[in-house]
Amino acid sequence: MKRAILMAILAVVTCGIVTAQQLPEANLKSQADSVKLVDYVKSNGKNPQEYILDKLANHKLVIYGEVHKRKASWDLLKSVVNDPSFSKKAGVVFLEIGCDNQEKMDLFFANKKMDNELLLDILRNAQMQGWDDKGMYEFIIELWNLNKKLSKRDKIQVVLADVARPWSSLKTKEEFSSYFKSVPDRNQQMADIVEKGIRFRADNRSGLFIVGFGHTFKSKIVLGQNTYASAGSILKERFSDSDVFITCPHSGIISNNGEMKGMTQNGLFDYAFAQNGNKPVALDLKTTPFGEGNFDLMPEIPSESIGHFENCFDGYIFFMPLDAEPSYYVLPELFTEGFLQELRRRTNVCGYDEWQAYGVKVKNITMDDINKYVQSTSQTKYWNNLQSAKKGK
């Protein structure tokens, strides 16, 4: 039971892959599909930054599905918030960080001088192992810088939507087990907080919700006799399909534990983007060649349980060829001797001695282990294992 609870806490949705310069080996149908995809992306592709800003201007809420620790994605989001029109269109940003850190986040934004250590402390408590996503860290700093330039009326509110993980208050195995058995459904809680943040705003500016795309599906997922609702589908129901716009990042097929399975649509999407010069591009999915494809990004969610891409998301964003993306964007500043001591304490509290993070058993973790982890990840392309997956290795 303890291990099951721990795995549920640690589960983080990821996704991604690599690129295709040539039409993948396929039948005549896929060749015909490739023509439609190429024509559509060349005729209808939009600049991703302008695309997101346009959706913010025309919807109450834009849900930006992401793949964690991905520099290209956070670079796009930073360009969005730094656009002069952003603060006129959006008034609140929701983040996938535990809501128990809201008071600290409010203090971070209220401070006249930037307190980087306070922000790092928030990220150390965001997950059991901390959250070493440098892109998110830099994005929050960009929002802080933006708010310092804005009037009190125009400042961007930052709301933390994920379930609470009050590590400092959990002292024993019994407290740990009792607390996480009673934690609310993450999708339900995030939807509740986002809905409240949109409905009770003092102005009519829209909201931007940045969250792992596994929480963003606009349709419910049917697996056997069970039906699952993501935060995205809950928010679509509570508002309307036209009020909420959901984007998905281009990726490949990857399981929730990070195992790469191959390229989405047998590489057809990558081929189409390559034929468009591999330029960053954003696309609508409804009644389009891209939307017609069966969803295949997550092996845990077969297409028959949720349908086509257009049943899952409203928009699709391509950053660059996946094999050209840089390494995992990790945050070395997160790690101190004091934080490693806290990680070892959390291991004792959870009662699972085999818990691993950063490539080692956490109960014995040292700064040397962290240095090796940082060096290794900084030298490894984000989608490094895709080619092996494509070859069936």
Side-chain angles (χ1 to χ4, degrees):
M1 175 61 75
K2 290 177 181 175
R3 189 173 190 273
I5 294 172
L6 181 62
M7 292 302 102
I9 296 166
L10 296 179
V12 176
V13 174
T14 56
C15 293
I17 318 291
V18 165
T19 69
Q21 296 298 327
Q22 300 179 352
L23 183 63
E25 296 178 8
N27 55 29
L28 291 174
K29 181 179 183 300
S30 66
Q31 294 182 38
D33 288 342
S34 71
V35 173
K36 293 191 296 181
L37 292 167
V38 171
D39 287 346
Y40 181 76
V41 72
K42 287 184 175 181
S43 301
N44 297 279
K46 302 291 192 301
N47 174 280
Q49 177 185 332
E50 296 172 0
Y51 183 84
I52 295 173
L53 289 166
D54 177 68
K55 300 307 179 185
L56 286 168
N58 291 286
H59 302 274
K60 285 184 179 180
L61 175 66
V62 172
I63 303 178
Y64 179 95
E66 65 138 350
V67 176
H68 301 312
K69 304 181 187 180
R70 195 175 181 184
K71 186 177 187 300
S73 178
W74 286 111
D75 283 349
L76 170 60
L77 287 166
K78 287 188 289 184
S79 75
V80 169
V81 301
N82 282 318
D83 188 278
S85 70
F86 176 74
S87 62
K88 297 179 177 64
K89 298 173 180 177
V92 57
V93 173
F94 303 93
L95 295 174
E96 190 182 354
I97 296 176
C99 58
D100 53 318
N101 292 288
Q102 187 65 59
E103 186 175 341
K104 288 183 178 180
M105 187 64 81
D106 291 343
L107 178 60
F108 172 79
F109 278 95
N111 284 338
K112 292 183 178 180
K113 291 185 178 181
M114 186 179 299
D115 188 343
N116 297 76
E117 187 57 32
L118 178 57
L119 180 54
L120 289 169
D121 188 50
I122 292 170
L123 294 178
R124 289 177 185 126
N125 287 299
Q127 292 283 345
M128 186 168 174
Q129 74 277 18
W131 195 238
D132 65 320
D133 190 334
K134 190 171 185 177
M136 175 181 278
Y137 174 77
E138 292 179 344
F139 176 78
I140 295 171
I141 288 175
E142 290 296 325
L143 285 175
W144 187 93
N145 287 325
L146 172 62
N147 272 350
K148 294 306 171 188
K149 303 173 186 176
L150 299 174
S151 68
K152 183 177 180 180
R153 182 190 64 182
D154 293 334
K155 289 185 186 299
I156 308 300
Q157 183 183 12
V158 176
V159 176
L160 308 183
D162 208 348
V163 297
R165 298 176 176 89
W167 304 116
S168 62
S169 67
L170 301 176
K171 307 295 185 182
T172 68
K173 297 175 184 178
E174 292 73 24
E175 289 176 348
F176 176 90
S177 179
S178 176
Y179 179 80
F180 282 105
K181 282 180 181 178
S182 63
V183 167
D185 177 83
R186 290 181 67 198
N187 286 289
Q188 186 72 46
Q189 163 139 341
M190 289 192 286
D192 289 345
I193 290 178
V194 172
E195 179 189 13
K196 182 179 178 180
I198 294 295
R199 289 199 187 279
F200 299 104
R201 281 200 55 73
D203 59 37
N204 61 359
R205 289 182 294 170
S206 63
L208 174 63
F209 178 22
I210 304 168
V211 63
F213 82 75
H215 297 289
T216 69
F217 297 108
K218 58 188 283 189
S219 300
K220 292 181 178 178
I221 302 166
V222 180
L223 294 173
Q225 301 298 314
N226 299 311
T227 300
Y228 302 92
S230 72
S233 67
I234 295 170
L235 288 163
K236 284 273 191 181
E237 287 184 353
R238 293 184 182 178
F239 290 98
S240 71
D241 187 56
S242 60
D243 283 334
V244 179
F245 192 90
I246 302 174
T247 68
C248 173
H250 177 62
S251 177
I253 305 168
I254 186 170
S255 66
N256 197 45
N257 66 5
E259 183 180 355
M260 296 182 181
K261 301 290 186 178
M263 300 174 75
T264 183
Q265 302 300 293
N266 194 32
L268 285 173
F269 283 9
D270 296 273
Y271 173 78
F273 294 131
Q275 296 306 301
N276 190 48
N278 280 322
K279 296 179 292 187
V281 67
L283 307 157
D284 285 344
L285 289 175
K286 188 175 182 179
T287 64
T288 73
F290 282 85
E292 292 171 357
N294 288 330
F295 175 76
D296 64 352
L297 292 181
M298 296 181 68
E300 295 90 344
I301 304 177
S303 60
E304 57 266 24
S305 71
I306 199 166
H308 305 292
F309 270 92
E310 66 182 359
N311 303 122
C312 303
F313 315 104
D314 300 306
Y316 197 80
I317 300 175
F318 171 79
F319 307 110
M320 64 178 69
L322 295 173
D323 57 2
E325 283 197 36
S327 63
Y328 278 83
Y329 204 40
V330 299
L331 182 61
E333 296 90 337
L334 191 78
F335 304 101
T336 64
E337 288 290 355
F339 181 50
L340 297 192
Q341 182 177 349
E342 167 63 12
L343 289 181
R344 292 190 289 268
R345 186 194 72 84
R346 293 176 189 178
T347 303
N348 292 330
V349 170
C350 77
Y352 182 51
D353 289 344
E354 300 303 311
W355 173 38
Q356 292 197 13
Y358 311 115
V360 297
K361 290 183 179 180
V362 179
K363 68 177 183 179
N364 300 318
I365 197 166
T366 67
M367 283 304 298
D368 284 342
D369 296 322
I370 293 301
N371 292 334
K372 291 176 183 177
Y373 162 76
V374 171
Q375 183 178 20
S376 174
T377 52
S378 67
Q379 295 175 351
T380 304
K381 289 285 189 74
Y382 197 101
W383 308 115
N384 184 59
N385 293 326
L386 178 70
Q387 295 294 346
S388 295
K390 288 167 60 181
K391 296 173 183 178
K393 294 182 179 178

